[in-house]
Amino acid sequence: MAEVVRARVDAWCWAVRLFPTRSAAGAACRAGHVRVNGERAKPATIVVPGDEVHVRGGERERIVEVRRTVVKRVGAAVAVECYLDRSPAPVPKAQVALAGVRDRGAGRPTKRDRRQLDRLRGRG
């Protein structure tokens, strides 16, 4: 029977190029931006094939299923074979509202302007 390679989630995410550096992957884990099988993952959490990893970072959330565990960083072509990407499609740039764009020289936003911006951003 083939031995299953166990890998830390921070090392695996870095190895399959979900993060640019291993320290960035570890920091995301500590901040709660990485979940394994629905549970918040510490950097030392072990992943095995079949696990589902949610990575929230940048502008979108990535949902990947572990197909193969690797602990060393691999090339992009090999990295794609190590997971099955189930992420939702990114929102087209045309649909993203440009909230907070002001005319040059308009000065500081008033209290009313700030409240309107907060409402646009979903905070108010």
PDB file of all heavy atoms in Angstrom, residues 14-53:
ATOM      1  N   TRP A  14       1.991  27.085   0.276  1.00  0.00           N
ATOM      2  CA  TRP A  14       3.127  27.751  -0.368  1.00  0.00           C
ATOM      3  C   TRP A  14       3.664  26.901  -1.516  1.00  0.00           C
ATOM      4  O   TRP A  14       3.968  27.418  -2.590  1.00  0.00           O
ATOM      5  CB  TRP A  14       4.213  28.014   0.670  1.00  0.00           C
ATOM      6  CG  TRP A  14       5.531  28.379   0.078  1.00  0.00           C
ATOM      7  CD1 TRP A  14       5.870  29.561  -0.494  1.00  0.00           C
ATOM      8  CD2 TRP A  14       6.683  27.535  -0.013  1.00  0.00           C
ATOM      9  NE1 TRP A  14       7.182  29.509  -0.928  1.00  0.00           N
ATOM     10  CE2 TRP A  14       7.693  28.267  -0.645  1.00  0.00           C
ATOM     11  CE3 TRP A  14       6.952  26.235   0.385  1.00  0.00           C
ATOM     12  CZ2 TRP A  14       8.949  27.748  -0.891  1.00  0.00           C
ATOM     13  CZ3 TRP A  14       8.210  25.727   0.143  1.00  0.00           C
ATOM     14  CH2 TRP A  14       9.190  26.478  -0.488  1.00  0.00           C
ATOM     15  N   ALA A  15       3.750  25.583  -1.307  1.00  0.00           N
ATOM     16  CA  ALA A  15       4.327  24.692  -2.315  1.00  0.00           C
ATOM     17  C   ALA A  15       3.496  24.651  -3.590  1.00  0.00           C
ATOM     18  O   ALA A  15       4.039  24.511  -4.680  1.00  0.00           O
ATOM     19  CB  ALA A  15       4.486  23.284  -1.746  1.00  0.00           C
ATOM     20  N   VAL A  16       2.155  24.772  -3.457  1.00  0.00           N
ATOM     21  CA  VAL A  16       1.312  24.730  -4.660  1.00  0.00           C
ATOM     22  C   VAL A  16       0.951  26.132  -5.154  1.00  0.00           C
ATOM     23  O   VAL A  16       0.045  26.312  -5.940  1.00  0.00           O
ATOM     24  CB  VAL A  16       0.025  23.898  -4.435  1.00  0.00           C
ATOM     25  CG1 VAL A  16       0.371  22.465  -4.154  1.00  0.00           C
ATOM     26  CG2 VAL A  16      -0.847  24.487  -3.351  1.00  0.00           C
ATOM     27  N   ARG A  17       1.679  27.126  -4.658  1.00  0.00           N
ATOM     28  CA  ARG A  17       1.625  28.496  -5.155  1.00  0.00           C
ATOM     29  C   ARG A  17       0.319  29.230  -4.876  1.00  0.00           C
ATOM     30  O   ARG A  17      -0.122  30.060  -5.661  1.00  0.00           O
ATOM     31  CB  ARG A  17       1.943  28.527  -6.652  1.00  0.00           C
ATOM     32  CG  ARG A  17       3.343  28.026  -6.921  1.00  0.00           C
ATOM     33  CD  ARG A  17       3.631  27.898  -8.394  1.00  0.00           C
ATOM     34  NE  ARG A  17       5.000  27.496  -8.570  1.00  0.00           N
ATOM     35  CZ  ARG A  17       6.005  28.338  -8.791  1.00  0.00           C
ATOM     36  NH1 ARG A  17       5.781  29.611  -8.871  1.00  0.00           N
ATOM     37  NH2 ARG A  17       7.231  27.883  -8.935  1.00  0.00           N
ATOM     38  N   LEU A  18      -0.309  28.937  -3.727  1.00  0.00           N
ATOM     39  CA  LEU A  18      -1.460  29.727  -3.302  1.00  0.00           C
ATOM     40  C   LEU A  18      -0.994  30.994  -2.592  1.00  0.00           C
ATOM     41  O   LEU A  18      -1.749  31.958  -2.478  1.00  0.00           O
ATOM     42  CB  LEU A  18      -2.374  28.913  -2.378  1.00  0.00           C
ATOM     43  CG  LEU A  18      -3.047  27.691  -3.002  1.00  0.00           C
ATOM     44  CD1 LEU A  18      -3.865  26.947  -1.967  1.00  0.00           C
ATOM     45  CD2 LEU A  18      -3.909  28.082  -4.186  1.00  0.00           C
ATOM     46  N   PHE A  19       0.248  30.976  -2.081  1.00  0.00           N
ATOM     47  CA  PHE A  19       0.861  32.129  -1.430  1.00  0.00           C
ATOM     48  C   PHE A  19       2.263  32.314  -2.001  1.00  0.00           C
ATOM     49  O   PHE A  19       2.931  31.341  -2.344  1.00  0.00           O
ATOM     50  CB  PHE A  19       0.967  31.920   0.093  1.00  0.00           C
ATOM     51  CG  PHE A  19      -0.354  31.997   0.794  1.00  0.00           C
ATOM     52  CD1 PHE A  19      -1.033  30.851   1.139  1.00  0.00           C
ATOM     53  CD2 PHE A  19      -0.920  33.220   1.098  1.00  0.00           C
ATOM     54  CE1 PHE A  19      -2.255  30.911   1.780  1.00  0.00           C
ATOM     55  CE2 PHE A  19      -2.143  33.300   1.743  1.00  0.00           C
ATOM     56  CZ  PHE A  19      -2.810  32.135   2.086  1.00  0.00           C
ATOM     57  N   PRO A  20       2.754  33.569  -2.082  1.00  0.00           N
ATOM     58  CA  PRO A  20       4.079  33.802  -2.647  1.00  0.00           C
ATOM     59  C   PRO A  20       5.229  33.359  -1.746  1.00  0.00           C
ATOM     60  O   PRO A  20       6.297  33.016  -2.245  1.00  0.00           O
ATOM     61  CB  PRO A  20       4.116  35.313  -2.877  1.00  0.00           C
ATOM     62  CG  PRO A  20       3.106  35.875  -1.943  1.00  0.00           C
ATOM     63  CD  PRO A  20       2.056  34.817  -1.780  1.00  0.00           C
ATOM     64  N   THR A  21       5.034  33.378  -0.425  1.00  0.00           N
ATOM     65  CA  THR A  21       6.082  32.955   0.491  1.00  0.00           C
ATOM     66  C   THR A  21       5.478  32.075   1.578  1.00  0.00           C
ATOM     67  O   THR A  21       4.281  32.144   1.855  1.00  0.00           O
ATOM     68  CB  THR A  21       6.763  34.158   1.185  1.00  0.00           C
ATOM     69  OG1 THR A  21       5.801  34.835   1.986  1.00  0.00           O
ATOM     70  CG2 THR A  21       7.383  35.108   0.177  1.00  0.00           C
ATOM     71  N   ARG A  22       6.318  31.270   2.200  1.00  0.00           N
ATOM     72  CA  ARG A  22       5.827  30.404   3.268  1.00  0.00           C
ATOM     73  C   ARG A  22       5.443  31.238   4.486  1.00  0.00           C
ATOM     74  O   ARG A  22       4.487  30.923   5.194  1.00  0.00           O
ATOM     75  CB  ARG A  22       6.883  29.370   3.639  1.00  0.00           C
ATOM     76  CG  ARG A  22       6.349  28.427   4.693  1.00  0.00           C
ATOM     77  CD  ARG A  22       7.107  27.158   4.775  1.00  0.00           C
ATOM     78  NE  ARG A  22       6.609  26.367   5.893  1.00  0.00           N
ATOM     79  CZ  ARG A  22       7.202  25.291   6.347  1.00  0.00           C
ATOM     80  NH1 ARG A  22       8.302  24.870   5.782  1.00  0.00           N
ATOM     81  NH2 ARG A  22       6.703  24.640   7.356  1.00  0.00           N
ATOM     82  N   SER A  23       6.174  32.308   4.733  1.00  0.00           N
ATOM     83  CA  SER A  23       5.819  33.154   5.873  1.00  0.00           C
ATOM     84  C   SER A  23       4.457  33.827   5.660  1.00  0.00           C
ATOM     85  O   SER A  23       3.698  34.005   6.615  1.00  0.00           O
ATOM     86  CB  SER A  23       6.899  34.187   6.150  1.00  0.00           C
ATOM     87  OG  SER A  23       7.056  35.043   5.047  1.00  0.00           O
ATOM     88  N   ALA A  24       4.127  34.174   4.414  1.00  0.00           N
ATOM     89  CA  ALA A  24       2.814  34.747   4.121  1.00  0.00           C
ATOM     90  C   ALA A  24       1.720  33.701   4.352  1.00  0.00           C
ATOM     91  O   ALA A  24       0.640  34.017   4.866  1.00  0.00           O
ATOM     92  CB  ALA A  24       2.754  35.258   2.689  1.00  0.00           C
ATOM     93  N   ALA A  25       1.999  32.454   4.001  1.00  0.00           N
ATOM     94  CA  ALA A  25       1.040  31.376   4.236  1.00  0.00           C
ATOM     95  C   ALA A  25       0.835  31.155   5.735  1.00  0.00           C
ATOM     96  O   ALA A  25      -0.302  30.986   6.196  1.00  0.00           O
ATOM     97  CB  ALA A  25       1.519  30.094   3.572  1.00  0.00           C
ATOM     98  N   GLY A  26       1.903  31.174   6.498  1.00  0.00           N
ATOM     99  CA  GLY A  26       1.803  31.016   7.946  1.00  0.00           C
ATOM    100  C   GLY A  26       1.049  32.166   8.590  1.00  0.00           C
ATOM    101  O   GLY A  26       0.234  31.967   9.497  1.00  0.00           O
ATOM    102  N   ALA A  27       1.313  33.382   8.123  1.00  0.00           N
ATOM    103  CA  ALA A  27       0.624  34.551   8.662  1.00  0.00           C
ATOM    104  C   ALA A  27      -0.868  34.492   8.356  1.00  0.00           C
ATOM    105  O   ALA A  27      -1.701  34.848   9.198  1.00  0.00           O
ATOM    106  CB  ALA A  27       1.232  35.831   8.082  1.00  0.00           C
ATOM    107  N   ALA A  28      -1.229  34.026   7.160  1.00  0.00           N
ATOM    108  CA  ALA A  28      -2.649  33.887   6.804  1.00  0.00           C
ATOM    109  C   ALA A  28      -3.325  32.846   7.685  1.00  0.00           C
ATOM    110  O   ALA A  28      -4.470  33.023   8.098  1.00  0.00           O
ATOM    111  CB  ALA A  28      -2.783  33.518   5.328  1.00  0.00           C
ATOM    112  N   CYS A  29      -2.629  31.771   7.999  1.00  0.00           N
ATOM    113  CA  CYS A  29      -3.182  30.747   8.884  1.00  0.00           C
ATOM    114  C   CYS A  29      -3.411  31.324  10.284  1.00  0.00           C
ATOM    115  O   CYS A  29      -4.469  31.123  10.879  1.00  0.00           O
ATOM    116  CB  CYS A  29      -2.255  29.540   8.977  1.00  0.00           C
ATOM    117  SG  CYS A  29      -2.155  28.568   7.473  1.00  0.00           S
ATOM    118  N   ARG A  30      -2.416  32.033  10.797  1.00  0.00           N
ATOM    119  CA  ARG A  30      -2.550  32.606  12.134  1.00  0.00           C
ATOM    120  C   ARG A  30      -3.658  33.654  12.195  1.00  0.00           C
ATOM    121  O   ARG A  30      -4.300  33.834  13.225  1.00  0.00           O
ATOM    122  CB  ARG A  30      -1.220  33.216  12.591  1.00  0.00           C
ATOM    123  CG  ARG A  30      -0.210  32.168  13.014  1.00  0.00           C
ATOM    124  CD  ARG A  30       1.025  32.802  13.622  1.00  0.00           C
ATOM    125  NE  ARG A  30       1.774  33.614  12.683  1.00  0.00           N
ATOM    126  CZ  ARG A  30       2.642  33.143  11.795  1.00  0.00           C
ATOM    127  NH1 ARG A  30       2.865  31.849  11.716  1.00  0.00           N
ATOM    128  NH2 ARG A  30       3.290  33.950  10.978  1.00  0.00           N
ATOM    129  N   ALA A  31      -3.906  34.350  11.080  1.00  0.00           N
ATOM    130  CA  ALA A  31      -4.942  35.384  11.037  1.00  0.00           C
ATOM    131  C   ALA A  31      -6.331  34.795  10.826  1.00  0.00           C
ATOM    132  O   ALA A  31      -7.321  35.523  10.864  1.00  0.00           O
ATOM    133  CB  ALA A  31      -4.627  36.391   9.937  1.00  0.00           C
ATOM    134  N   GLY A  32      -6.413  33.491  10.576  1.00  0.00           N
ATOM    135  CA  GLY A  32      -7.716  32.855  10.400  1.00  0.00           C
ATOM    136  C   GLY A  32      -8.230  32.872   8.972  1.00  0.00           C
ATOM    137  O   GLY A  32      -9.411  32.654   8.738  1.00  0.00           O
ATOM    138  N   HIS A  33      -7.356  33.120   7.999  1.00  0.00           N
ATOM    139  CA  HIS A  33      -7.771  33.183   6.603  1.00  0.00           C
ATOM    140  C   HIS A  33      -7.694  31.838   5.892  1.00  0.00           C
ATOM    141  O   HIS A  33      -8.009  31.760   4.703  1.00  0.00           O
ATOM    142  CB  HIS A  33      -6.924  34.205   5.844  1.00  0.00           C
ATOM    143  CG  HIS A  33      -7.031  35.597   6.397  1.00  0.00           C
ATOM    144  ND1 HIS A  33      -8.219  36.283   6.477  1.00  0.00           N
ATOM    145  CD2 HIS A  33      -6.102  36.415   6.927  1.00  0.00           C
ATOM    146  CE1 HIS A  33      -8.013  37.460   7.013  1.00  0.00           C
ATOM    147  NE2 HIS A  33      -6.724  37.570   7.303  1.00  0.00           N
ATOM    148  N   VAL A  34      -7.259  30.798   6.590  1.00  0.00           N
ATOM    149  CA  VAL A  34      -7.152  29.460   5.996  1.00  0.00           C
ATOM    150  C   VAL A  34      -7.992  28.499   6.827  1.00  0.00           C
ATOM    151  O   VAL A  34      -7.888  28.472   8.056  1.00  0.00           O
ATOM    152  CB  VAL A  34      -5.680  28.989   5.936  1.00  0.00           C
ATOM    153  CG1 VAL A  34      -5.589  27.589   5.354  1.00  0.00           C
ATOM    154  CG2 VAL A  34      -4.848  29.955   5.119  1.00  0.00           C
ATOM    155  N   ARG A  35      -8.829  27.719   6.154  1.00  0.00           N
ATOM    156  CA  ARG A  35      -9.659  26.709   6.819  1.00  0.00           C
ATOM    157  C   ARG A  35      -9.434  25.367   6.126  1.00  0.00           C
ATOM    158  O   ARG A  35      -9.340  25.300   4.909  1.00  0.00           O
ATOM    159  CB  ARG A  35     -11.139  27.066   6.753  1.00  0.00           C
ATOM    160  CG  ARG A  35     -11.468  28.327   7.528  1.00  0.00           C
ATOM    161  CD  ARG A  35     -12.958  28.583   7.556  1.00  0.00           C
ATOM    162  NE  ARG A  35     -13.276  29.682   8.439  1.00  0.00           N
ATOM    163  CZ  ARG A  35     -13.497  29.552   9.736  1.00  0.00           C
ATOM    164  NH1 ARG A  35     -13.434  28.379  10.293  1.00  0.00           N
ATOM    165  NH2 ARG A  35     -13.774  30.597  10.481  1.00  0.00           N
ATOM    166  N   VAL A  36      -9.368  24.309   6.937  1.00  0.00           N
ATOM    167  CA  VAL A  36      -9.236  22.952   6.411  1.00  0.00           C
ATOM    168  C   VAL A  36     -10.460  22.175   6.866  1.00  0.00           C
ATOM    169  O   VAL A  36     -10.710  22.058   8.067  1.00  0.00           O
ATOM    170  CB  VAL A  36      -7.932  22.274   6.918  1.00  0.00           C
ATOM    171  CG1 VAL A  36      -7.864  20.838   6.459  1.00  0.00           C
ATOM    172  CG2 VAL A  36      -6.711  23.047   6.441  1.00  0.00           C
ATOM    173  N   ASN A  37     -11.218  21.683   5.902  1.00  0.00           N
ATOM    174  CA  ASN A  37     -12.460  20.943   6.184  1.00  0.00           C
ATOM    175  C   ASN A  37     -13.398  21.744   7.078  1.00  0.00           C
ATOM    176  O   ASN A  37     -14.025  21.214   7.989  1.00  0.00           O
ATOM    177  CB  ASN A  37     -12.160  19.581   6.806  1.00  0.00           C
ATOM    178  CG  ASN A  37     -11.393  18.696   5.861  1.00  0.00           C
ATOM    179  OD1 ASN A  37     -11.589  18.747   4.655  1.00  0.00           O
ATOM    180  ND2 ASN A  37     -10.497  17.894   6.397  1.00  0.00           N
ATOM    181  N   GLY A  38     -13.490  23.052   6.833  1.00  0.00           N
ATOM    182  CA  GLY A  38     -14.396  23.911   7.572  1.00  0.00           C
ATOM    183  C   GLY A  38     -13.877  24.410   8.910  1.00  0.00           C
ATOM    184  O   GLY A  38     -14.492  25.268   9.529  1.00  0.00           O
ATOM    185  N   GLU A  39     -12.767  23.896   9.375  1.00  0.00           N
ATOM    186  CA  GLU A  39     -12.196  24.295  10.664  1.00  0.00           C
ATOM    187  C   GLU A  39     -11.049  25.278  10.452  1.00  0.00           C
ATOM    188  O   GLU A  39     -10.254  25.107   9.530  1.00  0.00           O
ATOM    189  CB  GLU A  39     -11.661  23.074  11.424  1.00  0.00           C
ATOM    190  CG  GLU A  39     -12.705  22.035  11.758  1.00  0.00           C
ATOM    191  CD  GLU A  39     -13.666  22.508  12.826  1.00  0.00           C
ATOM    192  OE1 GLU A  39     -13.222  23.205  13.765  1.00  0.00           O
ATOM    193  OE2 GLU A  39     -14.870  22.201  12.701  1.00  0.00           O
ATOM    194  N   ARG A  40     -10.946  26.265  11.334  1.00  0.00           N
ATOM    195  CA  ARG A  40      -9.841  27.215  11.268  1.00  0.00           C
ATOM    196  C   ARG A  40      -8.527  26.457  11.439  1.00  0.00           C
ATOM    197  O   ARG A  40      -8.397  25.618  12.325  1.00  0.00           O
ATOM    198  CB  ARG A  40     -10.011  28.235  12.382  1.00  0.00           C
ATOM    199  CG  ARG A  40      -9.052  29.350  12.311  1.00  0.00           C
ATOM    200  CD  ARG A  40      -9.391  30.388  13.348  1.00  0.00           C
ATOM    201  NE  ARG A  40      -8.299  31.345  13.408  1.00  0.00           N
ATOM    202  CZ  ARG A  40      -8.312  32.416  14.149  1.00  0.00           C
ATOM    203  NH1 ARG A  40      -9.337  32.670  14.906  1.00  0.00           N
ATOM    204  NH2 ARG A  40      -7.282  33.230  14.141  1.00  0.00           N
ATOM    205  N   ALA A  41      -7.559  26.734  10.585  1.00  0.00           N
ATOM    206  CA  ALA A  41      -6.317  25.961  10.569  1.00  0.00           C
ATOM    207  C   ALA A  41      -5.154  26.764  11.122  1.00  0.00           C
ATOM    208  O   ALA A  41      -4.959  27.922  10.770  1.00  0.00           O
ATOM    209  CB  ALA A  41      -5.993  25.528   9.147  1.00  0.00           C
ATOM    210  N   LYS A  42      -4.389  26.131  11.989  1.00  0.00           N
ATOM    211  CA  LYS A  42      -3.115  26.698  12.432  1.00  0.00           C
ATOM    212  C   LYS A  42      -2.081  26.335  11.363  1.00  0.00           C
ATOM    213  O   LYS A  42      -2.310  25.431  10.563  1.00  0.00           O
ATOM    214  CB  LYS A  42      -2.721  26.094  13.774  1.00  0.00           C
ATOM    215  CG  LYS A  42      -3.636  26.484  14.913  1.00  0.00           C
ATOM    216  CD  LYS A  42      -3.152  25.878  16.200  1.00  0.00           C
ATOM    217  CE  LYS A  42      -4.049  26.276  17.346  1.00  0.00           C
ATOM    218  NZ  LYS A  42      -3.611  25.683  18.615  1.00  0.00           N
ATOM    219  N   PRO A  43      -0.927  26.996  11.345  1.00  0.00           N
ATOM    220  CA  PRO A  43       0.078  26.675  10.332  1.00  0.00           C
ATOM    221  C   PRO A  43       0.519  25.213  10.350  1.00  0.00           C
ATOM    222  O   PRO A  43       0.841  24.648   9.305  1.00  0.00           O
ATOM    223  CB  PRO A  43       1.246  27.597  10.677  1.00  0.00           C
ATOM    224  CG  PRO A  43       0.630  28.736  11.389  1.00  0.00           C
ATOM    225  CD  PRO A  43      -0.530  28.166  12.149  1.00  0.00           C
ATOM    226  N   ALA A  44       0.507  24.565  11.508  1.00  0.00           N
ATOM    227  CA  ALA A  44       0.983  23.182  11.622  1.00  0.00           C
ATOM    228  C   ALA A  44      -0.114  22.151  11.370  1.00  0.00           C
ATOM    229  O   ALA A  44       0.130  20.954  11.495  1.00  0.00           O
ATOM    230  CB  ALA A  44       1.593  22.948  12.991  1.00  0.00           C
ATOM    231  N   THR A  45      -1.320  22.571  10.994  1.00  0.00           N
ATOM    232  CA  THR A  45      -2.392  21.627  10.702  1.00  0.00           C
ATOM    233  C   THR A  45      -1.977  20.733   9.541  1.00  0.00           C
ATOM    234  O   THR A  45      -1.463  21.210   8.527  1.00  0.00           O
ATOM    235  CB  THR A  45      -3.689  22.383  10.345  1.00  0.00           C
ATOM    236  OG1 THR A  45      -4.046  23.210  11.446  1.00  0.00           O
ATOM    237  CG2 THR A  45      -4.819  21.427  10.036  1.00  0.00           C
ATOM    238  N   ILE A  46      -2.200  19.439   9.691  1.00  0.00           N
ATOM    239  CA  ILE A  46      -1.801  18.465   8.662  1.00  0.00           C
ATOM    240  C   ILE A  46      -2.899  18.334   7.614  1.00  0.00           C
ATOM    241  O   ILE A  46      -4.084  18.255   7.947  1.00  0.00           O
ATOM    242  CB  ILE A  46      -1.527  17.093   9.315  1.00  0.00           C
ATOM    243  CG1 ILE A  46      -0.409  17.200  10.359  1.00  0.00           C
ATOM    244  CG2 ILE A  46      -1.190  16.043   8.278  1.00  0.00           C
ATOM    245  CD1 ILE A  46       0.938  17.602   9.804  1.00  0.00           C
ATOM    246  N   VAL A  47      -2.485  18.327   6.339  1.00  0.00           N
ATOM    247  CA  VAL A  47      -3.431  18.070   5.244  1.00  0.00           C
ATOM    248  C   VAL A  47      -3.046  16.766   4.554  1.00  0.00           C
ATOM    249  O   VAL A  47      -1.869  16.422   4.451  1.00  0.00           O
ATOM    250  CB  VAL A  47      -3.464  19.226   4.211  1.00  0.00           C
ATOM    251  CG1 VAL A  47      -4.065  20.470   4.797  1.00  0.00           C
ATOM    252  CG2 VAL A  47      -2.109  19.523   3.644  1.00  0.00           C
ATOM    253  N   VAL A  48      -4.065  16.041   4.116  1.00  0.00           N
ATOM    254  CA  VAL A  48      -3.883  14.794   3.383  1.00  0.00           C
ATOM    255  C   VAL A  48      -4.786  14.848   2.161  1.00  0.00           C
ATOM    256  O   VAL A  48      -5.720  15.657   2.116  1.00  0.00           O
ATOM    257  CB  VAL A  48      -4.221  13.561   4.260  1.00  0.00           C
ATOM    258  CG1 VAL A  48      -3.232  13.424   5.402  1.00  0.00           C
ATOM    259  CG2 VAL A  48      -5.630  13.632   4.783  1.00  0.00           C
ATOM    260  N   PRO A  49      -4.547  14.033   1.156  1.00  0.00           N
ATOM    261  CA  PRO A  49      -5.418  14.035  -0.018  1.00  0.00           C
ATOM    262  C   PRO A  49      -6.876  13.817   0.378  1.00  0.00           C
ATOM    263  O   PRO A  49      -7.191  12.989   1.221  1.00  0.00           O
ATOM    264  CB  PRO A  49      -4.882  12.872  -0.858  1.00  0.00           C
ATOM    265  CG  PRO A  49      -3.442  12.800  -0.482  1.00  0.00           C
ATOM    266  CD  PRO A  49      -3.399  13.146   0.980  1.00  0.00           C
ATOM    267  N   GLY A  50      -7.751  14.616  -0.221  1.00  0.00           N
ATOM    268  CA  GLY A  50      -9.172  14.558   0.087  1.00  0.00           C
ATOM    269  C   GLY A  50      -9.644  15.708   0.954  1.00  0.00           C
ATOM    270  O   GLY A  50     -10.840  15.973   1.040  1.00  0.00           O
ATOM    271  N   ASP A  51      -8.730  16.408   1.621  1.00  0.00           N
ATOM    272  CA  ASP A  51      -9.103  17.549   2.452  1.00  0.00           C
ATOM    273  C   ASP A  51      -9.512  18.733   1.579  1.00  0.00           C
ATOM    274  O   ASP A  51      -9.018  18.905   0.462  1.00  0.00           O
ATOM    275  CB  ASP A  51      -7.937  17.983   3.350  1.00  0.00           C
ATOM    276  CG  ASP A  51      -7.715  17.045   4.520  1.00  0.00           C
ATOM    277  OD1 ASP A  51      -8.593  16.211   4.782  1.00  0.00           O
ATOM    278  OD2 ASP A  51      -6.658  17.158   5.166  1.00  0.00           O
ATOM    279  N   GLU A  52     -10.410  19.566   2.115  1.00  0.00           N
ATOM    280  CA  GLU A  52     -10.832  20.775   1.416  1.00  0.00           C
ATOM    281  C   GLU A  52     -10.237  21.976   2.127  1.00  0.00           C
ATOM    282  O   GLU A  52     -10.398  22.121   3.343  1.00  0.00           O
ATOM    283  CB  GLU A  52     -12.356  20.867   1.401  1.00  0.00           C
ATOM    284  CG  GLU A  52     -12.866  22.015   0.566  1.00  0.00           C
ATOM    285  CD  GLU A  52     -14.370  22.006   0.440  1.00  0.00           C
ATOM    286  OE1 GLU A  52     -15.040  22.299   1.446  1.00  0.00           O
ATOM    287  OE2 GLU A  52     -14.865  21.687  -0.644  1.00  0.00           O
ATOM    288  N   VAL A  53      -9.532  22.812   1.386  1.00  0.00           N
ATOM    289  CA  VAL A  53      -8.842  23.970   1.952  1.00  0.00           C
ATOM    290  C   VAL A  53      -9.474  25.239   1.388  1.00  0.00           C
ATOM    291  O   VAL A  53      -9.575  25.401   0.171  1.00  0.00           O
ATOM    292  CB  VAL A  53      -7.327  23.934   1.621  1.00  0.00           C
ATOM    293  CG1 VAL A  53      -6.619  25.155   2.187  1.00  0.00           C
ATOM    294  CG2 VAL A  53      -6.694  22.660   2.139  1.00  0.00           C
TER     295      VAL A  53
END
